[in-house]
């Protein structure tokens, strides 16, 4: 129940506390509902940042403090605040839903906007004409506790070389990384998961942490593998870019979830503070992972990754984590400026980019082609060649897929029902958990493995049926005609370029 009105200075009765809180809020904020059904408040005179109505960083807490300051000796009760929030949620629902972005967004004129995460609401606006830092973002952003501020980018002419100097990778691999980093700020395309692969001592975890902190800085850039879909949805809701560290095995549910996160994952959840209303949360996220073995990737996920194979760091070049952190902090503004430059150049030519063939992750491939055209690199061919190798590695890690490949090698062409396939394939002595248990599961597994099998020259056809009265669906497995060898990555060059110390601008090396 609202608090009873109290007498004013001249004995007049004041409105209840809840009514005064609502009036106070409407004088300072406009109220909107996001496309996922959540109410937010946006300061009328302040940064273009959407504040939740409830929670630790919400408007409720701010209004409670302001009420106490405005009415000395009076504190709003919990019931008064709850009643006020209910009214304000109703006010928010009066308007059509609006996009509320997290870290990156698309402006009405098509420019890309990156939230710096600062308290004053500054942002970087990038278009084909260049980039600039603006005082107020032209799109609405929300913040989360998993976000950290991004330093203001600067141009010193040496940003890419300074980033490369921190990483143990050749020029070809580094160019693919740069293209992935700039594509990560394009909000409306799928982004392949970046997989940092290498043995112990290659600095995978530290490198992945740097990459995430360039795109979407966070106090917890590296995350452990989520326990279930609920834990994943909480992580994805609070961050635009995430890194899952030290992945050794990926359960099927997580592999499916990560695949959907690449292309746009929808999660139906109960709406806050309700028993029966639901909201649909759509997560299209930028993912990075570290692993020792690419064979840990399931088939569907293996087709949606960009693999970076890090080289072992020589003992003479190994640096302490403290030194790396200090160097990264010093060069990060210059690195960001260089990356935004590459993004602006790619956006300028992207509308005219046409691919001869459309590979998986076609939108990302177009960005690679645009970066290549603007920078004179070869990232698209290198990415396609590496992707073929990843698919092969993932296939070799799947015993059921390898059994099919062995069958086709022996038979040339095999045709039969899913049940017959299960019977003819020899079961390993130690049966893996993903080995199908019945004919229904066999059909589904073969369909999911089809792209990977195709990468090693095996075609899968499930369009035919048996000619008897049962009309069973038939699987036809055959060796495809030989295809031209994919382009191979160029020979490895020096892992580290020469670079000037942080803060000293110079002309970029020719390889950039």
């Amino acid at each position: 129940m609202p608090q009873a009105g109290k007498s004013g200075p001249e004995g007049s009765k004041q409105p209840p506390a809840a009514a005064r809180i609502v009036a106070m809020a409407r004088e300072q904020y406009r109220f909107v509902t996001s496309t996922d059904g959540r109410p937010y408040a946006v300061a009328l005179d302040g940064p273009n940042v959407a504040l939740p109505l409830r929670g630790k960083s919400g408007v409720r807490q701010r209004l409670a403090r302001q009420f106490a300051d405005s009415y000395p000796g009076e504190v709003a009760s919990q019931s008064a605040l709850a009643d006020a929030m209910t009214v304000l949620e109703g006010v928010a629902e009066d308007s059509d839903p609006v996009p509320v972005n997290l870290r990156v967004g698309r402006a009405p004129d098509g420019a890309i906007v990156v939230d710096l995460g600062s308290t004053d609401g500054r942002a970087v606006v990038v278009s084909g004409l260049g980039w600039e830092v603006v005082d107020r973002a032209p799109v609405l952003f929300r913040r989360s506790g998993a976000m950290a501020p991004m330093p203001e980018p600067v141009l010193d002419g040496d940003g890419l070389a300074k980033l490369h100097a921190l990483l143990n990778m050749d020029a070809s691999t580094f160019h693919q990384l740069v293209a992935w980093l700039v594509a990560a700020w394009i909000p409306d395309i799928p982004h392949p998961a970046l997989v940092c692969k290498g043995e112990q001592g290659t600095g995978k975890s530290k490198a992945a942490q740097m990459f995430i902190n360039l795109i979407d800085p966070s106090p917890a850039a590296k995350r452990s593998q989520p326990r279930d879909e609920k834990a994943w949805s909480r992580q994805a809701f609070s961050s635009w870019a995430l890194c899952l560290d030290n992945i050794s095995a990926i359960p099927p549910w997580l592999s499916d979830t990560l695949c959907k996160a690449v292309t746009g994952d929808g999660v139906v959840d109960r709406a806050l503070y309700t028993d029966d209303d639901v909201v649909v949360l759509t997560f299209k996220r930028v993912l990075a992972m570290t692993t020792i073995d690419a064979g840990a990737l399931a088939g569907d996920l293996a087709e949606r990754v960009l693999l970076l194979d890090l080289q072992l760091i020589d003992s003479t070049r190994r640096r302490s984590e403290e030194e790396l952190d200090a160097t990264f902090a010093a060069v990060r503004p210059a690195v960001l400026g260089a990356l935004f430059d590459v993004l602006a150049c790619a956006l300028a030519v992207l509308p005219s980019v046409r691919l001869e063939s459309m590979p998986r992750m076609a939108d990302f491939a177009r960005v690679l082609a645009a970066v290549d055209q603007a920078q004179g690199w070869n990232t698209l061919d290198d990415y396609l060649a590496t992707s073929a190798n990843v698919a092969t590695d993932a296939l070799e890690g799947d015993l059921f897929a390898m059994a099919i490949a062995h069958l086709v090698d022996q038979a040339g062409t095999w045709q039969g029902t899913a049940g017959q396939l299960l019977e003819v394939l020899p079961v390993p002595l130690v049966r893996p958990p993903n080995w199908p248990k019945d004919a229904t599961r066999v059909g589904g597994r073969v369909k999911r493995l089809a792209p990977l099998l195709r990468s090693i020259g095996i075609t899968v056809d499930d369009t035919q049926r048996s000619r008897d009265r049962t009309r069973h669906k038939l699987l036809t497995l055959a060796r495809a005609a030989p295809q031209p060898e994919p382009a191979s990555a160029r020979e490895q060059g020096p892992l580290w370029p020469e670079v000037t110390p942080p803060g000293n601008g110079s002309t970029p090396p020719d390889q950039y």
Side-chain angles (χ1 to χ4, degrees):
M1 294 292 292
Q3 291 180 338
K6 296 191 176 184
S7 297
E10 300 179 1
S12 61
K13 204 169 188 180
Q14 293 201 47
R20 283 178 279 162
I21 294 171
V22 169
M24 189 183 301
R26 299 187 77 166
E27 289 176 356
Q28 303 173 71
Y29 301 95
R30 64 184 176 96
F31 295 89
V32 299
T33 301
S34 65
T35 50
D36 63 8
R38 294 173 182 264
Y40 291 97
V42 184
L44 296 175
D45 184 18
N48 204 13
V49 175
L51 303 170
L53 297 193
R54 307 173 190 257
K56 184 177 179 181
S57 59
V59 168
R60 172 176 171 147
Q61 188 172 358
R62 301 184 183 201
L63 291 173
R65 177 178 177 178
Q66 186 177 350
F67 183 89
D69 291 341
S70 300
Y71 301 96
E74 192 174 354
V75 176
S77 67
Q78 292 296 323
S79 62
L81 288 167
D83 289 345
M85 293 304 108
T86 300
V87 173
L88 296 176
E89 287 169 359
V91 173
E93 290 178 356
D94 279 346
S95 58
D96 292 334
V98 298
V100 178
N101 304 279
L102 181 69
R103 186 63 81 176
V104 298
R106 182 77 76 166
D109 62 359
I112 290 171
V113 187
V114 181
D115 180 17
L116 289 179
S118 55
T119 55
D120 56 10
R122 289 177 305 147
V124 179
V125 178
V126 191
S127 70
L129 300 176
W131 60 269
E132 63 174 337
V133 178
V134 298
D135 292 333
R136 193 173 194 272
V139 299
L140 188 58
F141 285 109
R142 64 178 173 88
R143 305 277 177 79
S144 79
M147 292 177 62
M150 180 184 293
E152 184 172 328
V154 299
L155 272 180
D156 74 349
D158 212 14
L160 293 185
K162 287 176 178 177
L163 175 61
H164 194 182
L166 295 173
L167 304 171
N168 49 317
M169 57 180 63
D170 61 22
S172 170
T173 305
F174 179 71
H175 292 164
Q176 292 180 68
L177 168 66
V178 171
W180 182 85
L181 289 170
V182 301
W185 284 317
I186 302 178
D188 35 25
I189 67 168
H191 308 87
L194 185 76
V195 177
C196 296
K197 172 180 172 288
E199 61 181 278
Q200 293 181 359
T202 54
K204 303 182 299 295
S205 298
K206 195 64 183 177
Q209 181 181 357
M210 289 182 190
F211 306 155
I212 295 301
N213 278 331
L214 284 170
I215 304 164
D216 182 21
S218 170
K222 295 183 295 185
R223 317 283 176 89
S224 58
Q225 187 169 304
R227 299 185 308 274
D228 51 35
E229 290 186 70
K230 199 78 171 177
W232 160 254
S233 66
R234 286 194 296 269
Q235 291 191 27
F237 183 75
S238 61
S239 297
W240 170 248
L242 306 94
C243 173
L244 301 182
D245 195 25
N246 289 326
I247 300 296
S248 57
I250 302 178
W253 74 264
L254 181 58
S255 180
D256 291 343
T257 298
L258 295 180
C259 287
K260 290 185 287 185
V262 167
T263 55
D265 187 7
V267 178
V268 178
D269 196 8
R270 181 176 64 85
L272 292 176
Y273 313 110
T274 69
D275 294 323
D276 53 0
D277 197 12
V278 298
V279 293
V280 178
L281 307 177
T282 302
F283 301 128
K284 183 179 289 183
R285 292 294 180 258
V286 175
L287 304 174
M289 294 185 290
T290 65
T291 184
I292 293 176
D293 181 16
L297 304 175
D300 288 356
L301 185 57
E303 288 194 299
R304 296 172 170 87
V305 304
L306 170 61
L307 182 68
L308 300 184
D309 203 345
L310 274 67
Q311 308 299 316
L312 189 65
I313 303 174
D314 186 83
S315 59
T316 60
R317 296 199 64 108
R318 196 175 298 278
R319 289 180 276 186
S320 68
E321 190 157 328
E322 181 181 5
E323 182 185 356
L324 273 174
D325 288 341
T327 305
F328 178 67
V331 304
R332 186 153 59 140
V335 172
L336 288 172
L339 291 175
F340 284 129
D341 248 12
V342 175
L343 176 58
C345 293
L347 292 177
V349 301
L350 187 59
S352 63
V353 169
R354 299 291 182 270
L355 301 181
E356 293 181 3
S357 62
M358 299 296 278
R360 197 69 178 263
M361 307 296 297
D363 293 293
F364 176 70
R366 287 187 66 240
V367 175
L368 294 183
V371 170
D372 288 346
Q373 184 175 328
Q375 303 297 320
W377 295 346
N378 197 48
T379 61
L380 179 56
D381 288 344
D382 292 343
Y383 164 69
L384 295 177
T386 304
S387 297
N389 294 335
V390 173
T392 303
D393 290 345
L395 196 68
E396 291 175 351
D398 192 309
L399 293 180
F400 186 72
M402 292 307 295
I404 292 176
H406 184 65
L407 173 65
V408 174
D409 285 341
Q410 288 185 322
T413 299
W414 183 92
Q415 186 178 70
T417 65
Q420 290 170 338
L421 180 62
L422 186 60
E423 291 176 3
V424 75
L425 293 180
V427 181
L429 293 177
V430 180
R431 182 170 175 163
N434 63 352
W435 191 275
K437 297 180 175 61
D438 52 48
T440 301
R441 290 179 174 85
V442 168
R445 285 279 287 136
V446 171
K447 197 172 188 67
R448 293 185 64 173
L449 287 169
L452 288 185
L453 291 170
R454 196 179 306 118
S455 72
I456 62 167
I458 296 176
T459 61
V460 177
D461 179 9
D462 62 353
T463 61
Q464 302 180 52
R465 291 188 175 270
S466 62
R467 296 182 179 180
D468 57 20
R469 62 182 182 178
T470 61
R471 303 289 293 166
H472 286 305
K473 179 184 287 189
L474 297 177
L475 294 173
T476 304
L477 309 172
R479 178 64 64 181
Q483 298 292 324
E485 287 292 322
S488 57
R490 290 183 289 248
E491 291 185 11
Q492 177 176 311
L495 293 186
W496 287 279
E498 294 298 324
V499 60
T500 55
N504 298 323
S506 67
T507 302
D510 291 341
Q511 64 176 324
Y512 299 101

